[in-house]
Amino acid sequence: MRSRTQFVHAGGGADRATGAVNPPIHLSSTFAQLAPNRNRGYVYGRSANPTRTVLERALAEIEHGRTGLAFSSGLGALTTLLEQFPAGSRVVAMDDLYGGTWRLLDHHRRQFGLEVEFADLTTPLAVERALAEPADLVFVESPTNPLMKLVDLRALARAAHRGRGLLAVDNTFASPALQRPLDCGADVVLHSTTKYLSGHSDVIGGALVLAQKRLGERMRWLQNAVGAVPSPFDCFLVLRGIRTLELRMRAHGEAARAVAEVLATHRKVRAVHYPGLASHPQHRLARRQMSGFGGMLSAELRGGVPAARRFLRRVKLFTLAESLGGVESLVEHPALMTQASLPKADRAAHGITDGLLRFSCGIEDPADLADDVRTALAGV
Ligand SMILES: *Cc1c(COP(=O)(O)O)cnc(C)c1O
């Protein structure tokens, strides 16, 4: 089945009891038992909920995994994943990451004795160096946040497995409409479903999808033990978002290309980071690994914070806000906003400069977004 069809049908068909084409939102914290310890598959809402079950089945299907698990946020999913790794475990993480992911890994390093190394994993040589000492967990985003760097997922999965480690990929930016890490050999996919999967900026949620059954069972146990689970209503919203994921990702990609082209040819812009541009250093890898380039991009304005602030005041269709992946366009300033939790020296070392802006291109008409950016740049 092709992705577009799969997203519409994922999770199973109409409700068996009623024929409802959408899953009922089961607002019940507990479930009647037939006899002590005999039940219909549901006992208590933290452990399992029928609305959540439909979403979790859908998550597994769309990411080509064995087990799908829904969480109350992306970081709730990451917290639960990290529970699997005892003190002394070695984690190698990409050095360009969502700020909250960096903060949580750093917290585990300080507080719980996790050994965490942040490394640039964009080249085979860098991967070889970082994994010379085997890691229990390799954790990456691709494309990364906010610099849109790519990681060769197939090569990295092989390298992680040589050292008997797991590869986990945060697939939030690409979504399964454009990239399927488990098909590339990864063991775990993580999502902030807050972003493209729900797609309308109206829910906070997370997900893990596991390739192997045993790890899936372990994570399901941890999901219940930790308890960072989503509400049934939020599960319904994420599921509704998934239905249109393929259409939306296509529109996001068209919008981002139009915006990237304006930025790439403008004299007030020093650099544009978008994997869909032939000038992106990993454009060929993007073509091989992804079926589209997505709606996210970043650009460095000449003139640092003052220029960025002027641009942000003038832009009209892009709302100044954190987050991404909704139907409406957003823009943010990583150094002052999402990556502010990184020490300044770290930010600078990783290319998150004071003139950098990150764009989440929505599904508006690409020509309107391009006009908006052009007009705002004229006033910088
Ligand atoms: C937003 C985001 C997260 C964190 O997810 P929450 O739902 O906000 O907890 C993790 N990774 C990426 C790439 C994100 O964009």
Side-chain angles (χ1 to χ4, degrees):
M1 203 190 298
R2 292 161 185 83
S3 292
R4 190 156 156 185
T5 310
Q6 188 188 39
F7 295 156
V8 173
H9 293 276
D15 180 53
R16 283 229 192 83
T18 63
V21 297
N22 287 308
I25 301 170
H26 288 272
L27 293 176
S28 193
S29 59
T30 190
F31 297 83
Q33 305 197 16
L34 303 163
N37 287 324
R38 268 192 57 220
N39 58 68
R40 301 171 178 86
Y42 295 95
V43 174
Y44 181 63
R46 170 167 26 76
S47 318
N49 168 283
T51 314
R52 199 173 92 207
T53 300
V54 180
L55 171 61
E56 292 185 334
R57 247 191 263 131
L59 289 166
E61 284 173 35
I62 67 176
E63 281 289 3
H64 293 182
R66 286 292 293 265
T67 308
L69 298 170
F71 294 89
S72 54
S73 69
L75 291 183
L78 179 60
T79 299
T80 306
L81 176 66
L82 293 179
E83 289 286 318
Q84 173 64 14
F85 297 91
S89 299
R90 180 169 145 79
V91 178
V92 169
M94 182 73 184
D95 64 355
D96 191 32
L97 284 173
Y98 178 72
T101 299
W102 180 88
R103 182 175 56 202
L104 188 56
L105 286 169
D106 192 54
H107 171 68
H108 274 252
R109 180 175 67 80
R110 293 164 189 269
Q111 189 85 352
F112 303 125
L114 208 62
E115 193 193 303
V116 185
E117 182 184 330
F118 296 98
D120 178 357
L121 300 173
T122 52
T123 67
L125 188 66
V127 169
E128 197 182 310
R129 203 175 294 153
L131 293 178
E133 183 189 341
D136 300 291
L137 174 67
V138 179
F139 188 93
V140 298
E141 298 173 12
S142 182
T144 62
N145 185 357
L147 293 172
M148 308 303 294
K149 294 196 242 174
L150 265 66
V151 176
D152 185 333
L153 298 178
R154 281 187 182 82
L156 191 60
R158 282 196 299 273
H161 294 161
R162 263 201 302 280
R164 300 189 176 283
L166 297 176
L167 172 62
V169 178
D170 182 335
N171 202 28
T172 300
F173 267 35
S175 93
L178 306 182
Q179 169 174 280
R180 287 201 170 88
L182 301 186
D183 288 350
C184 298
D187 306 280
V188 183
V189 159
L190 182 142
H191 272 283
S192 169
T193 57
T194 311
K195 316 294 168 53
Y196 286 111
L197 291 198
S198 66
H200 296 73
S201 306
D202 53 10
V203 59
I204 299 285
L208 290 177
V209 183
L210 300 309
Q212 298 106 6
K213 186 154 177 270
R214 272 192 51 202
L215 185 62
E217 280 164 6
R218 175 70 182 156
M219 285 297 150
R220 193 179 289 286
W221 186 89
L222 280 170
Q223 179 195 37
N224 179 53
V226 174
V229 295
S231 76
F233 184 67
D234 287 354
C235 292
F236 171 87
L237 285 176
V238 175
L239 196 61
R240 184 159 83 160
I242 288 172
R243 301 300 177 224
T244 55
L245 181 63
E246 206 266 356
L247 295 175
R248 284 186 288 108
M249 290 314 291
R250 227 184 259 212
H252 286 299
E254 286 168 15
R257 167 165 301 281
V259 170
E261 281 169 359
V262 170
L263 290 163
T265 51
H266 205 285
R267 65 188 167 79
K268 289 175 186 166
V269 179
R270 179 169 292 132
V272 182
H273 310 291
Y274 183 59
L277 292 178
S279 58
H280 188 283
Q282 294 167 295
H283 179 64
R284 285 179 57 194
L285 174 60
R287 282 192 169 282
R288 197 163 72 233
Q289 188 162 277
M290 307 171 73
S291 58
F293 307 110
M296 299 302 299
L297 63 105
S298 56
E300 191 187 337
L301 301 195
R302 296 182 195 278
V305 170
R309 281 191 194 278
R310 276 196 295 276
F311 179 88
L312 293 171
R313 272 199 303 272
R314 280 170 173 80
V315 82
K316 292 206 169 63
L317 290 176
F318 287 82
T319 301
L320 176 64
E322 298 190 4
S323 198
L324 59 110
V327 293
E328 71 292 315
S329 290
L330 304 177
V331 61
E332 66 107 5
H333 189 280
L336 298 177
M337 295 165 68
T338 48
Q339 261 72 10
S341 57
L342 261 74
K344 187 176 164 67
D346 278 15
R347 276 203 309 268
H350 294 132
I352 301 171
T353 58
D354 287 349
L356 191 75
L357 294 171
R358 189 194 72 181
F359 298 82
S360 169
C361 301
I363 63 167
E364 299 95 336
D365 192 304
D368 287 330
L369 296 179
D371 285 347
D372 194 34
V373 167
R374 211 178 279 118
T375 310
L377 280 173
V380 168

